[in-house]
Structures are given as C-alpha cells and as structure tokens.
Amino acid sequence: KRVTRAAPSDHRPALTDLPLEQEMARILNERESLYTAAAAATLDAALPKEDVVAAILKIVGQTAQDV
C-alpha cells in the first residue's frame, strides 16, 4: 500500500499492464532467487530489533561488547 501512495504519477513507467501491487509482487517473485544468490548475507528484518542487530553483528564478526 505504501508504494501506491508514495509513487508519483510521473515516476518510472510500469513494466507490465498489471496494477502496481500485482506487478511488484510478480517482479519480486521472479527476481527473488537472483537477489538471494547475489547477497553476501541475508537476515530477517521482521525480527525484533535486538535480534536484527545481533544478526548484523554476527554477519560482520562482532559482538555487542565490541561495538
């Protein structure tokens, strides 16, 4: 919903004739495996913020005490 509200009408042209939300879902579905393959690391940003920070620190090889 936020994308629909935030996208100005003169922004980038649509890639398909689908409604914006459906187009974005389709494109993400098609590209997700490419994004995952290209990622050096992934984490679940829906986790509580403390867990996200801990995951980031683990990825970069630090602990909370090092920061």
Side-chain angles (χ1 to χ4, degrees):
K1 305 273 185 221
R2 184 190 181 294
V3 173
T4 304
R5 288 192 319 259
S9 60
D10 62 344
H11 205 59
R12 297 173 70 182
L15 298 174
T16 69
D17 292 329
L18 295 171
L20 181 59
E21 289 182 37
Q22 289 178 6
E23 178 177 305
M24 291 186 64
R26 178 178 161 196
I27 298 297
L28 179 58
N29 186 49
E30 291 173 358
R31 297 179 180 177
E32 189 168 19
S33 64
L34 299 172
Y35 296 151
T36 301
T42 61
L43 60 94
D44 182 356
L47 295 171
K49 63 184 176 187
E50 295 82 6
D51 294 342
V52 172
V53 170
I56 293 169
L57 292 174
K58 183 176 179 182
I59 290 167
V60 298
Q62 296 180 334
T63 65
Q65 291 77 26
D66 297 332
V67 177

